[in-house]
C-alpha cells in the first residue's frame, strides 16, 4: 500500500512539472505557424515556421541571423546588412543540403518547391 502511494505521488509530481514546463513553452511567443516571406521577382515562400522549431529545437539557428520580428529579413536587406538571397543561399538551402547529405529529414533545394503560390 505504502509503495503504491509513493509511486502515485512521484507520478503526480512528474505531471505537475510537465504542466509547468508546458506553460513556459506556451508563454514564449513562437510567432506564426506559416510565414510568408517575400520572394522578390520569384513567388513568395510559404515558410513552415513551427515545423522548423519542432525539427531544429533551437530558435537561434535562425534568429542569430535575423531577429524574431515580422519583416526582419526585408528590413535587414533594405539596410544592406543582408545581401539579396543571402538568407536563402547561406542559410535555408545550405542546411537543407547538409541534412540531405547526412540522410536526415530535410526541406527543398529546388527553386519552385520553395517559391510557390500556396503552402
Ligand atoms: C529555420 C529558421 C527559424 C527558426 C529555427 C525559428 N524561426 Fe522564428 N522566424 C523565422 C523567419 C524566416 C521569420 C520571418 C522573418 C521575416 O518576416 O522577415 C521568423 C519570425 C519569427 C517571429 C516574428 C513573426 C511572427 O510570426 O510573430 C517570432 C516571434 C519568431 N520567429 C519566434 C521564434 C521562436 C520563439 C523560435 C524558436 C522556438 C523560432 N522563431 C525559430 C525563422 C525561424
Ligand atoms: C529553401 C527555400 C528556397 C529555395 C530552394 C530557393 N529560394 Fe530563393 N529565396 C528564399 C528565401 C527565404 C528568400 C528571401 C530571403 C533572401 O533574400 O535571402 C529568397 C529570395 C529569392 C529572390 C529575391 C532576392 C531579392 O531580395 O530580391 C530571388 C530572385 C530568388 N530567391 C531566386 C531563387 C532561385 C532562382 C532559386 C533556385 C536556384 C531559389 N530562389 C531557390 C528561399 C528559397
Ligand atoms: C538548420 C536547418 C534548416 C534551416 C536553416 C532551414 N530549414 Fe527548412 N527544413 C529543415 C528541416 C529539417 C525540414 C524538414 C522538417 C520536417 O520534416 O518536419 C525543413 C523543411 C522545410 C520545408 C518544408 C518542405 C515540405 O516538405 O513541405 C520548407 C518549405 C522549408 N524547409 C523552407 C525553408 C526556408 C525558406 C528556410 C530559410 C528561411 C529554411 N527552410 C531554413 C531544416 C532547415
Amino acid at each position: 500500500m505504502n509503495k503504491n502511494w509513493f509511486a502515485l505521488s512521484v507520478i503526480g509530481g512528474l505531471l505537475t512539472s510537465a504542466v509547468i514546463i508546458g506553460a513556459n513553452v506556451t508563454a514564449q511567443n513562437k510567432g506564426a505557424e506559416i510565414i510568408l516571406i517575400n520572394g522578390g521577382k520569384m513567388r513568395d515562400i510559404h515558410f513552415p515556421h513551427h515545423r522548423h522549431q519542432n525539427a531544429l529545437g533551437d530558435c537561434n539557428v535562425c534568429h542569430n541571423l535575423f531577429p524574431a520580428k515580422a519583416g526582419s529579413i526585408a528590413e535587414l536587406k533594405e539596410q544592406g546588412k543582408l545581401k539579396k538571397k543571402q538568407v536563402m543561399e547561406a542559410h535555408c538551402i545550405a542546411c537543407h543540403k547538409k541534412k540531405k547529405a547526412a540522410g536526415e529529414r530535410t526541406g527543398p533545394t529546388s527553386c519552385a518547391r520553395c517559391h510557390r503560390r500556396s503552402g
Side-chain angles (χ1 to χ4, degrees):
M1 251 327 201
N2 277 343
K3 265 190 188 165
N4 285 343
W5 278 115
F6 177 71
L8 278 178
S9 56
V10 169
I11 291 168
L14 288 176
L15 285 177
T16 311
S17 0
V19 168
I20 292 167
I21 292 164
N24 281 343
V25 169
T26 41
Q28 184 185 31
N29 178 9
K30 297 183 92 182
E33 182 175 355
I34 309 279
I35 295 179
L36 206 62
I37 305 177
N38 191 309
K41 285 179 193 144
M42 302 280 286
R43 288 175 178 173
D44 291 343
I45 301 103
H46 291 253
F47 172 67
H49 192 213
H50 289 186
R51 264 180 68 186
H52 282 82
Q53 293 177 357
N54 295 335
L56 304 174
D58 178 13
C59 310
N60 289 332
V61 172
C62 294
H63 291 306
N64 271 345
L65 190 61
F66 50 87
K69 198 181 104 194
S72 63
I73 295 175
E75 204 174 289
L76 292 172
K77 287 203 285 192
E78 268 166 37
Q79 295 168 357
K81 287 177 185 157
L82 279 175
K83 292 193 206 95
K84 287 182 175 183
K85 302 204 232 174
Q86 183 178 340
V87 171
M88 161 183 133
E89 281 164 353
H91 208 57
C92 316
I93 298 178
C95 176
H96 291 172
K97 279 190 177 156
K98 203 171 92 189
K99 296 233 175 242
K100 195 180 177 188
E104 293 172 29
R105 287 180 69 145
T106 190
T109 52
S110 74
C111 317
R113 283 203 49 214
C114 253
H115 292 276
R116 57 185 187 168
R117 207 173 301 246
S118 58

